Amino acid sequence: MDTVLEVKGITKKFPGVLANDHVDFNLRKGEIHALLGENGAGKSTLMNIIYGLTSPDDGEILINGKATHFHSPKDAIACGIGMVHQHFMLVPVFTVAENIMLGSEKLRNGVLDIVQVNKDLKELSTQYGLEIDPTSLVHDLPVGIQQRVEIIKALYRKAEILILDEPTAVLTPQEVEDLFIIIRKLVDQGISVIFITHKLKEVLSIADRITVMRGGKVIATDDPKQTNEQALASQMVGRTVILKVDKTPAKPGDVVLSVKDLHVQDDRKIETVRGVSFEVRKGEILGIAGVQGNGQTELAEAMTGLRHAISGEIRIQDQNVFNHPPRDLVEKGMGHIPEDRQKHGFVMQYPISDNLVLCSYYVSPFCRRGVLQNSAIGTNAENLIKRFDIRTPSPYVPTSKLSGGNQQKVIVARELSRNIKFLVANQPTRGLDVGSIEYIHHEIVQMRDEGIGVVLISAELDEIMALSDRIAVMYHGEIVAILPADKVTREELGLMMAGSLKPEVSTI
Ligand SMILES: Nc1ncnc2c1ncn2[C@@H]1O[C@H](COP(=O)(O)OP(=O)(O)OP(=O)(O)O)[C@@H](O)[C@H]1O
Ligand SMILES: [Mg+2]
């Protein structure tokens, strides 16, 4: 088989970090080559180098056997390379067609030739089975469709090598299946794909070859038929990982958070939370399962003060906190891991140390008589970086310089280390490697055992099943069932989430 891309001896240093250490990697025509590795292993860096976003300190890139030097993504695109980034790069207020054209505008008589672009897009959509409406605003599209726009954008630029950096981290299981169908179609048409993910099941089901990175180095390239989840996990993190959560039955105490008949609208003024009620007790984990887009996002936002609800009741213990601002909720004992880390989790440009005190910088020991206590803030950061294994050369680098998974760990570390009464954890382990997931699951269970009430919202059914003591199923803005976690199977949950099974188990 022809090798379409080969990198040899790629080395890249950032201040204090050897992100890529003599990396050799190749991609064959029409294959799906998965790239695995712990958070901060150097995967995105390697891909950014291949895409011309960063230049290596050393090493070679060969495209179809020819040595090449990229000065910018423009050069890489000209060589047939396309990339869908870990954090999307679309302009939300532009239409699909405008986003796709951006940077390679077609003009006719000095004006944008939107008719031609729409026609080209139609053709691409049919060729690869990527249905899309070129006139919709990106802002209005679900994440899975936004990703499709990114893929079409690359194909529109005639990509023959497609890099997908953690494409499934933000997708629902159904969207993942759709994406896999698309990827297989692309490969059938001769496109070669590099696929980054932390989900081992996915890798084993879709990849032709699997390369594992750790600490900037390539550790191994495996044949998926000759390996398994456990072996890959160990290669990734360099130790044995327990893939199952170990926990004893919950001992629930008093109600810490209650939500009654809550109604919430989304940005388009559509009511997406329609009369939701539930209670969370101290010392228990209530999982909220549901296909993305069934109101979980708006529910979490309303509960955490990020979105005004229309009506209903939210109480922390016996205090009414309906539509109270986030700071008030934080002061009353709320912890929150938001769904979108870059939007609601921290300030990208701030150093890690400041982001770790974002909810508590104005109280002792971090502030005294109105003056920030830098040494206390620094010590706090050093402790949390160690405890949560945040990979960074120092506590004072801007958080934007961290790898995606390490950014997530900053938020989790901050929220789990505060003195909280309840935690709203929305996709808490999104983008984390198996080792970090193991640790964070353990921490969440431990918090439960210390008497904290946890609301866990997750698109990962495995995560919901593994952590929850009770599971609430959300469908079309309503909670259709609340079940004890040990009385329901994965299949039953899946069917309830799709609205095709009326729960038989009694609601508790
Ligand atoms: N622009 C940058 N400046 C400084 N350090 C950086 C920069 N980009 C990446 N790094 C560092 O390089 C290392 C590798 O990061 P990279 O983003 O490649 O990891 P990754 O394997 O993609 O991890 P993840 O699974 O968390 O996305 C990390 O330690 C990161 O902090
Ligand atoms: Mg990455």
Side-chain angles (χ1 to χ4, degrees):
M1 228 189 297
D2 303 343
T3 299
V4 286
L5 166 81
E6 183 165 19
V7 303
K8 284 189 202 161
I10 292 285
T11 297
K12 176 74 187 176
K13 281 197 194 85
F14 290 113
V17 186
L18 186 53
N20 280 178
D21 185 1
H22 297 92
V23 172
D24 295 335
F25 177 87
N26 64 61
L27 180 68
R28 299 171 185 155
K29 188 169 172 58
E31 81 163 337
I32 303 170
H33 194 152
L35 188 56
L36 275 181
E38 61 182 354
N39 297 129
K43 306 177 296 294
S44 295
T45 302
L46 181 64
M47 294 305 119
N48 287 341
I49 289 171
I50 294 174
Y51 192 54
L53 273 168
T54 323
S55 50
D57 300 330
D58 205 359
E60 284 189 277
I61 304 176
L62 294 99
I63 308 283
N64 296 318
K66 234 175 74 197
T68 358
H69 290 281
F70 297 150
H71 300 288
S72 76
K74 243 196 161 101
D75 298 342
I77 292 167
C79 283
I81 300 175
M83 177 157 174
V84 178
H85 295 270
Q86 189 165 4
H87 302 107
F88 294 167
M89 304 223 164
L90 299 171
V91 184
V93 294
F94 279 9
T95 64
V96 168
E98 285 165 346
N99 265 289
I100 289 171
M101 266 195 296
L102 199 63
S104 58
E105 290 85 352
K106 274 200 181 132
L107 297 179
R108 189 161 54 174
N109 303 330
V111 277
L112 288 177
D113 190 358
I114 202 87
V115 179
Q116 182 61 41
V117 174
N118 283 346
K119 208 171 131 249
D120 293 348
L121 290 185
K122 271 250 150 57
E123 270 171 30
L124 274 178
S125 309
T126 345
Q127 187 182 353
Y128 296 107
L130 290 149
E131 261 169 66
I132 205 121
D133 172 9
T135 60
S136 31
L137 287 178
V138 161
H139 173 257
D140 291 337
L141 299 175
V143 190
I145 307 292
Q146 291 192 18
Q147 186 171 69
R148 210 170 269 192
V149 177
E150 292 270 23
I151 295 176
I152 296 188
K153 189 170 171 178
L155 296 174
Y156 184 73
R157 287 163 174 66
K158 312 230 176 307
E160 283 167 8
I161 295 170
L162 188 62
I163 301 169
L164 302 171
D165 192 353
E166 287 195 50
T168 58
V170 291
L171 299 186
T172 62
Q174 182 56 49
E175 287 173 326
V176 171
E177 275 177 36
D178 293 345
L179 176 69
F180 282 7
I181 293 172
I182 291 168
I183 294 181
R184 291 206 174 95
K185 261 204 185 121
L186 295 176
V187 166
D188 284 345
Q189 308 239 358
I191 289 175
S192 317
V193 176
I194 304 176
F195 179 84
I196 300 180
T197 182
H198 287 292
K199 299 179 189 170
L200 305 174
K201 281 196 185 80
E202 286 179 358
V203 172
L204 290 169
S205 87
I206 197 164
D208 296 308
R209 283 192 297 160
I210 305 169
T211 288
V212 183
M213 284 182 78
R214 174 159 30 101
K217 287 196 178 75
V218 169
I219 298 295
T221 296
D222 301 308
D223 173 351
K225 289 184 211 76
Q226 312 280 325
T227 183
N228 57 43
E229 285 184 53
Q230 198 64 56
L232 289 172
S234 312
Q235 279 180 341
M236 277 172 74
V237 297
R239 62 175 170 89
T240 313
V241 181
I242 303 159
L243 295 167
K244 209 173 151 287
V245 182
D246 205 10
K247 72 186 198 340
T248 53
K251 298 189 194 74
D254 299 340
V255 173
V256 57
L257 176 75
S258 66
V259 171
K260 216 185 257 171
D261 199 20
L262 189 70
H263 292 260
V264 190
Q265 290 181 338
D266 69 5
D267 288 343
R268 291 169 293 178
K269 303 262 176 281
I270 297 168
E271 191 173 310
T272 49
V273 178
R274 305 187 302 153
V276 161
S277 305
F278 61 84
E279 286 180 341
V280 186
R281 292 176 177 274
K282 289 181 178 169
E284 73 160 345
I285 301 174
L286 174 72
I288 298 188
V291 176
Q292 200 88 350
N294 275 273
Q296 304 94 313
T297 301
E298 290 78 17
L299 171 64
E301 287 176 351
M303 273 196 293
T304 54
L306 290 171
R307 177 181 292 273
H308 261 255
I310 302 170
S311 63
E313 212 180 89
I314 304 176
R315 299 183 91 81
I316 298 177
Q317 288 169 321
D318 48 9
Q319 302 176 74
N320 179 9
V321 293
F322 181 73
N323 281 345
H324 281 212
R327 163 136 1 159
D328 184 51
L329 302 178
V330 165
E331 286 176 351
K332 289 190 167 65
M334 174 183 79
H336 178 211
I337 301 169
E339 183 177 1
D340 187 331
R341 56 177 166 250
Q342 297 199 339
K343 209 150 94 200
H344 300 300
F346 50 73
V347 186
M348 289 281 273
Q349 301 78 6
Y350 282 10
I352 301 166
S353 56
D354 285 358
N355 274 314
L356 284 170
V357 293
L358 217 50
C359 306
S360 50
Y361 65 90
Y362 55 92
V363 290
S364 170
F366 306 124
C367 183
R368 291 224 165 97
R369 291 182 292 280
V371 182
L372 286 178
Q373 301 296 306
N374 287 328
S375 70
I377 294 174
T379 310
N380 175 64
E382 276 162 22
N383 291 340
L384 291 180
I385 285 169
K386 208 170 194 183
R387 184 171 144 206
F388 286 86
D389 190 22
I390 300 169
R391 304 286 167 92
T392 173
S394 123
Y396 304 107
V397 299
T399 312
S400 60
K401 302 273 191 233
L402 294 187
S403 77
N406 282 297
Q407 292 176 5
Q408 181 72 11
K409 288 195 224 167
V410 171
I411 299 171
V412 175
R414 179 185 66 217
E415 298 304 304
L416 297 193
S417 62
R418 291 191 298 116
N419 190 8
I420 58 173
K421 292 196 180 99
F422 71 96
L423 172 73
V424 178
N426 198 347
Q427 324 296 343
T429 56
R430 181 172 274 175
L432 295 188
D433 66 48
V434 281
S436 307
I437 292 177
E438 175 193 37
Y439 180 69
I440 282 163
H441 281 175
H442 176 82
E443 287 286 300
I444 291 179
V445 170
Q446 191 165 330
M447 293 191 84
R448 176 201 80 164
D449 292 344
E450 286 164 11
I452 286 158
V454 180
V455 183
L456 168 74
I457 303 171
S458 176
E460 299 290 324
L461 256 191
D462 288 339
E463 180 162 60
I464 293 273
M465 305 258 332
L467 284 181
S468 310
D469 300 306
R470 292 187 299 141
I471 301 176
V473 182
M474 225 175 149
Y475 178 67
H476 276 191
E478 290 174 41
I479 287 188
V480 292
I482 302 184
L483 313 153
D486 54 1
K487 295 259 160 34
V488 61
T489 65
R490 203 189 146 85
E491 287 65 36
E492 285 166 341
L493 264 186
L495 289 171
M496 279 180 225
M497 284 161 58
S500 42
L501 176 72
K502 292 276 168 287
E504 277 176 26
V505 195
S506 67
T507 299
I508 54 165

